[in-house]
Amino acid sequence: MPERYRSIVDVHVILHRDGEILLLERQGTGYCDRMLHLPSGHLEEGEPVPHGAAREAREETGVLIDPGTLTLAAVVHHRQSPGHARVGMFLLAETWTGEPVNTEPHKCGKLQWADPHLLPSNTIDYPAVGIRAWLEQRPLALHGWGSTETVR
């Protein structure tokens, strides 16, 4: 019997205030360096989605988020390459404690607030799809699947 399909679950945090969202410039990781991404990472074994999102935001920006205040903004089924897909859970944070700072300078060049309707051209496509889905109030979006990308 073949093994069941398993996918990596990514958590992305949309820190939203005053009409802008926080983006981080990747640096020194070998993946999309000098490009912008949301605070994000992978779920750890046995970790609920909101707790993983709050943990990643704390690790990358130093802010404290009560996982119970996060709301699901969108889900993106992302195909990174043939045979390698992931599920991205995009969670909205409108309240947190602390001022965001770059707590991982070995992975992040800078923090940047941006208008989510006018994302900088160097925003990585995968999180940009999740941000657009949130803005358009589409609960599910596809990325990297080709002609099947339209979900209503």
Side-chain angles (χ1 to χ4, degrees):
M1 178 177 273
E3 262 191 61
R4 287 181 184 241
Y5 172 77
R6 298 183 192 277
S7 185
I8 295 170
V9 177
D10 298 325
V11 288
H12 307 259
V13 181
I14 301 170
L15 292 172
H16 183 252
R17 75 172 181 202
D18 301 326
E20 294 185 316
I21 61 172
L22 185 67
L23 299 172
L24 288 65
E25 182 186 61
R26 297 186 59 86
Q27 168 183 284
T29 68
Y31 172 74
C32 294
D33 287 339
R34 295 179 302 286
M35 295 188 76
L36 300 171
H37 201 298
L38 294 165
S40 64
H42 309 115
L43 277 185
E44 294 179 356
E45 181 65 34
E47 185 176 44
V49 168
H51 292 77
R55 175 185 50 77
E56 287 292 347
R58 184 187 74 253
E59 289 175 1
E60 296 184 3
T61 69
V63 301
L64 299 176
I65 300 173
D66 175 352
T69 65
L70 292 168
T71 56
L72 183 62
V75 175
V76 176
H77 194 195
H78 168 64
R79 185 175 185 217
Q80 193 161 332
S81 61
H84 185 82
R86 5 175 37 94
V87 175
M89 310 294 287
F90 288 74
L91 290 106
L92 178 65
E94 295 186 284
T95 61
W96 59 84
T97 302
E99 184 62 25
V101 296
N102 182 359
T103 58
E104 294 184 329
H106 58 290
K107 294 181 182 180
C108 177
K110 65 180 177 180
L111 305 183
Q112 176 178 333
W113 290 95
D115 180 339
H117 299 277
L118 301 168
L119 291 173
S121 62
N122 63 330
T123 304
I124 299 170
D125 285 342
Y126 171 29
V129 167
I131 294 164
R132 282 193 298 275
W134 161 60
L135 293 172
E136 296 167 6
Q137 298 181 355
R138 284 185 298 124
L140 176 63
L142 302 176
H143 180 255
W145 296 93
S147 64
T148 62
E149 306 248 332
T150 303
V151 176
R152 302 242 176 230

